[in-house]
Amino acid sequence: MSQTDTLADPLDIMGRLLTPEGKQNPYPLYEEMRAHGSLVDIGGAHLFATGYAECARALREPDLLSTDGAVQDGKMPGWREHASWRWLTKNMLFSNDPDHERLRRFFSGAFSARSVANWRPMVDRLAEDAVQHVAELGAGGRPVDLVPEFSFRFATAVIGELLGIPEKDQAGMRGIIGDITTALDPIGDLAELEPGDAAMEQLAEYFYELVAQRRTAPGPDLTSAFVRARDTGGELTEEDLVANLMLLLVAAAEAPQDLLSNMVRLALEHPEHADRLRANPRSAAGFVDETLRFEPAVQALNRVAARDMWYFGVRVAEGTPVTLIIGAGNRDPRRFSDPGVFDPERPDNQPLTFSAGAHYCLGAALARMSAETVVPQLLRRLPELTLAEPPTFRNQLVQRGHGRLPVRTA
Ligand code: HEM
């Protein structure tokens, strides 16, 4: 019997990944998938990449398209009836050139390295406030769920302050933002988009109002600056503006929330690394990178072939979906030694978690700086932090982070 006869069918592995158990711990299933190769071709109908090099090159390949409206017509007929995807395909992440280039150009200057450096005092202040909030909630030994009270609260405070979203509106957005990200998971039935549709419509209404408000009474926030630039430049429609403001909020709340929760849990599981993080601020960068590699907040990215092409020796026909399992690529033993070991001092650690190429995360520098600031502060201020109960993971495949992370602070 050959080795492949003993391996589970790739479609069966994908099916198991989509079960609640698979979502709780996808990594053994990625290894089952990797056993079929670093590119797994499902009869020419779908290609999965499990290898680091394969994912990295795909992200830089202009002929592998992001899921824009035309791509979605081929993949998910009927999607135009759904507000979630109608709005998603208006943002830069789900666009291809020339729209992508036009949208990215409009928004990218605001997130330059210089802007991020200027935001440091603001991030420091919000980090202090986030840690103080946890300390107060946990006083007297009360358990605190760090997901809403620390990770979401801090991530939303940062992007909320940048975009000028009043603090009183921020906490109420958690359910809406969470529902929107469920639209990114693979679905069996279009009805599964309904929670995301309702959430997206609500958020769009919110941003239309915010934009109108900032047009009449501008402030020092980015929304006011974007409104001014749109009204004088004429490059963007009002819908483009609203769609991309929604992207900025959701992207900057969800993945950073998961990164922060994952970092804290890994610190609690590895007290020696947590001690180093407390003692030496310079060790924070390595800790962030290793968390992004070992427990990525984003596990998979989708592309579609724009033309017939050869890819690492595999023939890919125009229109074929290509799923880059970056959570598997980050554990590729050809790229990382002992990939299943959490080692924040790993040399040359370049996880795929912020993507690469044209869609490389616009908020990567901000996300890094924020995480490097707030998690060491939490650990220093609350040295007795322990898990109060086993944490749960959210029931999602693409976004990976904790559903609940209950801790005690003393
Ligand atoms: C841990 C934190 C974060 C992670 C893991 C993350 C991950 C990603 C990934 C994987 C992509 C590209 C997806 C693709 O190639 O298909 C992306 C794009 C993007 N991210 Fe992030 N992100 C994070 C934080 C942020 C923050 C804080 C912001 C906002 C300030 C942000 C804004 C964006 C935007 C606007 C795009 C679209 C870029 C484009 O299409 O050109 N992200 N992010």
Side-chain angles (χ1 to χ4, degrees):
M1 197 156 66
S2 77
Q3 198 205 353
T4 37
D5 292 333
T6 64
L7 299 177
D9 182 77
L11 281 180
D12 170 63
I13 303 169
M14 285 315 296
R16 282 185 283 140
L17 264 171
L18 291 172
T19 62
E21 297 73 36
K23 291 175 189 172
Q24 290 301 298
N25 185 12
Y27 303 111
L29 294 165
Y30 294 162
E31 294 315 314
E32 283 194 45
M33 200 74 172
R34 195 194 311 285
H36 286 274
S38 41
L39 279 180
V40 185
D41 182 6
I42 314 284
H46 200 135
L47 194 66
F48 291 93
T50 61
Y52 182 95
E54 289 74 7
C55 290
R57 201 201 291 172
L59 291 170
R60 293 176 175 88
E61 170 56 64
D63 284 326
L64 287 177
L65 301 177
S66 188
T67 312
D68 64 14
V71 166
Q72 198 63 310
D73 282 337
K75 278 176 71 175
M76 199 193 277
W79 70 274
R80 287 177 193 272
E81 304 305 311
H82 291 268
S84 52
W85 272 100
R86 267 203 317 274
W87 277 109
L88 287 172
T89 49
K90 292 186 182 109
N91 77 38
M92 71 183 97
L93 181 53
F94 297 106
S95 300
N96 295 296
D97 287 347
D99 284 335
H100 175 261
E101 205 272 331
R102 175 177 61 90
L103 297 170
R104 176 121 183 168
R105 182 164 15 98
F106 182 90
F107 290 95
S108 59
F111 294 90
S112 67
R114 186 170 346 144
S115 304
V116 174
N118 288 337
W119 294 335
R120 193 175 278 280
M122 180 266 289
V123 168
D124 272 334
R125 168 171 53 78
L126 295 174
E128 217 168 284
D129 172 73
V131 172
Q132 175 66 21
H133 178 71
V134 174
E136 282 169 15
L137 287 181
R142 281 190 304 267
V144 182
D145 182 355
L146 287 186
V147 177
E149 303 298 348
F150 174 71
S151 309
F152 179 82
R153 190 171 180 276
F154 171 73
T156 315
V158 172
I159 191 66
E161 178 140 342
L162 290 176
L163 294 181
I165 297 172
E167 204 183 320
K168 67 173 173 47
D169 297 343
Q170 293 171 10
M173 289 179 163
R174 182 160 178 246
I176 298 179
I177 293 172
D179 281 351
I180 289 174
T181 64
T182 61
L184 305 179
D185 258 21
I187 54 166
D189 183 335
L190 283 173
E192 289 171 53
L193 294 176
E194 281 163 16
D197 293 341
M200 195 67 108
E201 271 170 349
Q202 221 179 322
L203 197 59
E205 200 175 308
Y206 182 87
F207 272 109
Y208 269 120
E209 270 172 35
L210 189 69
V211 163
Q213 227 177 54
R214 293 310 140 96
R215 186 168 275 129
T216 49
D221 51 87
L222 289 179
T223 301
S224 300
F226 293 144
V227 169
R228 203 163 38 241
R230 155 168 149 63
D231 291 352
T232 49
E235 254 187 312
L236 252 66
T237 66
E238 192 87 343
E239 269 196 340
D240 290 337
L241 179 61
V242 167
N244 285 282
L245 286 170
M246 291 200 281
L247 169 66
L248 287 171
L249 172 66
V250 173
E254 275 303 283
Q257 161 189 274
D258 292 334
L259 169 64
L260 298 177
S261 301
N262 295 344
M263 280 176 75
V264 175
R265 188 205 88 234
L266 286 162
L268 296 179
E269 280 178 359
H270 299 274
E272 71 289 8
H273 297 316
D275 283 345
R276 200 167 301 119
L277 209 47
R278 284 187 187 95
N280 179 5
R282 273 189 311 213
S283 67
F287 198 99
V288 170
D289 274 333
E290 183 64 347
T291 304
L292 289 166
R293 184 195 71 81
F294 182 82
E295 191 73 285
V298 178
Q299 296 273 322
L301 300 171
N302 289 309
R303 296 292 190 265
V304 162
R307 57 171 175 84
D308 292 347
M309 60 202 288
W310 286 96
Y311 199 67
F312 284 89
V314 175
R315 180 97 184 119
V316 187
E318 180 181 339
T320 307
V322 181
T323 297
L324 311 171
I325 310 181
I326 55 175
N330 283 342
R331 291 182 180 221
D332 183 345
R334 296 174 310 174
R335 172 63 176 79
F336 297 102
S337 54
D338 296 325
V341 173
F342 179 72
D343 175 11
E345 292 179 89
R346 192 177 278 285
D348 187 28
N349 194 358
Q350 290 177 22
L352 298 159
T353 313
F354 283 126
S355 188
H359 293 279
Y360 179 74
C361 177
L362 193 57
L366 172 64
R368 273 181 203 287
M369 188 263 275
S370 304
E372 288 170 18
T373 304
V374 75
V375 174
Q377 272 200 36
L378 180 81
L379 297 174
R380 269 196 296 272
R381 168 83 188 270
L382 301 168
E384 307 296 318
L385 201 71
T386 49
L387 287 176
E389 282 172 45
T392 61
F393 281 96
R394 38 198 301 178
N395 186 30
Q396 283 178 242
L397 191 58
V398 172
Q399 263 332 121
R400 175 142 177 104
H402 290 289
R404 298 187 65 235
L405 182 60
V407 295
R408 283 187 214 285
T409 59

